[in-house]
Amino acid sequence: MRDPPVEIAAPDISAHRPGNTGIPYVTSFASDRAGPHAVISALVHGNELCGAHALLALLEREVRPCRGRLSLAFVNTLAYERFDPASPKLTRYVDEDLNRVWDPATLEGPRRSAELDRAREIRPLIESADALLDLHSMQLPAPPLLLCGPLAKGRRLAEAIGYPGLVVADAGHRAGARMRDFGAFADPASAPAAMLVECGQHWAHSSVAVAIATCRQFLAALDLVTPATLARLGPAPAAEPQRVIEVTHAITVDGGPFQFTADFQGLEVIAERGTLIARDGDQPLHTPYDDCVLIMPSRRLGPGQTAVRLGRFVA
Ligand SMILES: [Zn+2]
């Protein structure tokens, strides 16, 4: 299958390398008024360009909080610096996926990699967040998704953000913990909540507008900026009723080779329980129930990687 075209450029973010927090590529703005600390992160995956465009829009349009604090973090800049539109898939990371290392044992362990160094560097920022919006994009063209995690507080934050209209409640990947599931974010007894947004296909022009609109709605939900500041990020996106997909299974490649039975793009609803959708080596994979939704079928199908998630509409 041919890769989707690279419609957007990787913008120059080098002016923001110094930042103002002591952590390279992290800029933070505090208001005089008390309020939550909101963090918006981009480039956790180095080839997901929309987040870089969105953070630049926030910086260039001087979006400042009227209460609390707003921090903007370009995360895997080492991978991003290597982005090459001729081979755009290669710069997701340098050594390993930065969104699979977020558990204390890994972060505090002896292992080192480019991504672990960076995760350790930004960990204090992530731990100080009351609310996190992590900007991502997807391999295949599909409608944007808010990934709110498995907890009720994530569901509530997704509802407050209200955009994009499709919400996926999921628990992550067997290959390792995501930043959005780190520490307090995964504790039902504590308040901090995190959201991950998949803004569409990695290099699609439309992903930039989705990323900026999601930042806008996130800031509005937290009541962190004035209406005049919000307006600098464009009008509110058209209201769409939110629908929620609850993930029931994360299918991880076992022995492989893993092959889907069709060219699934994501969000297909498979009507009949027991439909064959893939084979992992000689193991068939059937849908476990009627009206099973396929979420983000992957083209990265090595052993241990998430091949697809299965879920159902619950709202
Ligand atoms: Zn990503």
Side-chain angles (χ1 to χ4, degrees), residues 44-45 47-48 92 99 135-138 196 198 202:
V44 162
H45 293 133
N47 63 346
E48 301 183 357
R92 180 174 169 84
N99 216 23
L135 302 168
H136 286 255
S137 53
M138 299 183 271
L196 188 158
E198 301 281 3
H202 293 325

Side-chain angles (χ1 to χ4, degrees), residues 46-127:
N47 63 346
E48 301 183 357
L49 307 179
C50 63
H53 284 278
L55 288 201
L56 283 179
L58 294 175
L59 288 159
E60 285 161 7
R61 298 176 205 180
E62 300 189 347
V63 172
R64 305 282 185 270
C66 63
R67 68 183 195 114
R69 187 145 80 93
L70 172 63
S71 299
L72 306 174
F74 300 95
V75 180
N76 198 344
T77 51
L78 214 54
Y80 177 68
E81 280 162 10
R82 302 175 184 193
F83 181 80
D84 175 2
S87 2
K89 284 193 289 199
L90 296 185
T91 49
R92 180 174 169 84
Y93 52 76
V94 177
D95 295 324
E96 63 179 315
D97 191 328
L98 206 153
N99 216 23
R100 303 287 184 271
V101 299
W102 289 91
D103 61 274
T106 303
L107 291 171
E108 292 158 22
R111 204 162 62 72
R112 284 197 66 183
S113 68
E115 278 73 21
L116 268 171
D117 286 353
R118 183 59 170 158
R120 287 166 182 145
E121 190 169 55
I122 67 164
R123 179 180 177 176
L125 173 81
I126 301 305
E127 285 181 322

Side-chain angles (χ1 to χ4, degrees), residues 33-296:
R33 286 175 57 211
H37 179 202
V39 175
I40 305 180
S41 51
L43 298 176
V44 162
H45 293 133
N47 63 346
E48 301 183 357
L49 307 179
C50 63
H53 284 278
L55 288 201
L56 283 179
L58 294 175
L59 288 159
E60 285 161 7
R61 298 176 205 180
E62 300 189 347
V63 172
R64 305 282 185 270
C66 63
R67 68 183 195 114
R69 187 145 80 93
L70 172 63
S71 299
L72 306 174
F74 300 95
V75 180
N76 198 344
T77 51
L78 214 54
Y80 177 68
E81 280 162 10
R82 302 175 184 193
F83 181 80
D84 175 2
S87 2
K89 284 193 289 199
L90 296 185
T91 49
R92 180 174 169 84
Y93 52 76
V94 177
D95 295 324
E96 63 179 315
D97 191 328
L98 206 153
N99 216 23
R100 303 287 184 271
V101 299
W102 289 91
D103 61 274
T106 303
L107 291 171
E108 292 158 22
R111 204 162 62 72
R112 284 197 66 183
S113 68
E115 278 73 21
L116 268 171
D117 286 353
R118 183 59 170 158
R120 287 166 182 145
E121 190 169 55
I122 67 164
R123 179 180 177 176
L125 173 81
I126 301 305
E127 285 181 322
S128 68
D130 296 300
L132 169 74
L133 175 63
D134 190 20
L135 302 168
H136 286 255
S137 53
M138 299 183 271
Q139 299 173 59
L140 301 173
L145 304 170
L146 264 187
L147 273 56
C148 72
L151 301 178
K153 64 180 178 181
R155 195 79 70 87
R156 283 194 298 273
L157 180 57
E159 209 173 297
I161 296 172
Y163 175 89
L166 271 174
V167 178
V168 174
D170 75 324
H173 307 272
R174 202 194 295 166
R178 299 174 298 186
M179 194 166 82
R180 63 131 291 116
D181 300 314
F182 182 58
F185 300 141
D187 177 1
S190 76
M195 201 59 49
L196 188 158
V197 61
E198 301 281 3
C199 297
Q201 205 281 329
H202 293 325
W203 314 301
H205 198 260
S206 59
S207 65
V208 175
V210 173
I212 294 174
T214 310
C215 292
R216 184 196 188 282
Q217 295 312 96
F218 176 69
L219 295 171
L222 297 173
D223 198 18
L224 210 74
V225 300
T226 62
T229 304
L230 265 194
R232 279 183 233 150
L233 296 173
E240 32 181 333
Q242 260 183 345
R243 300 197 68 196
V244 180
I245 305 167
E246 217 160 66
V247 171
T248 56
H249 300 68
I251 305 298
T252 305
V253 178
D254 191 4
F258 191 101
Q259 264 199 316
F260 289 104
T261 54
D263 187 19
F264 297 121
Q265 302 291 301
L267 300 176
E268 288 88 353
V269 179
I270 310 293
E272 255 181 75
R273 171 192 169 155
T275 303
L276 180 70
I277 54 168
R279 282 189 188 83
D280 188 349
D282 53 13
Q283 290 300 309
L285 174 64
H286 297 101
T287 51
Y289 40 77
D290 289 348
D291 298 324
C292 180
V293 187
L294 308 189
I295 300 149
M296 295 176 70

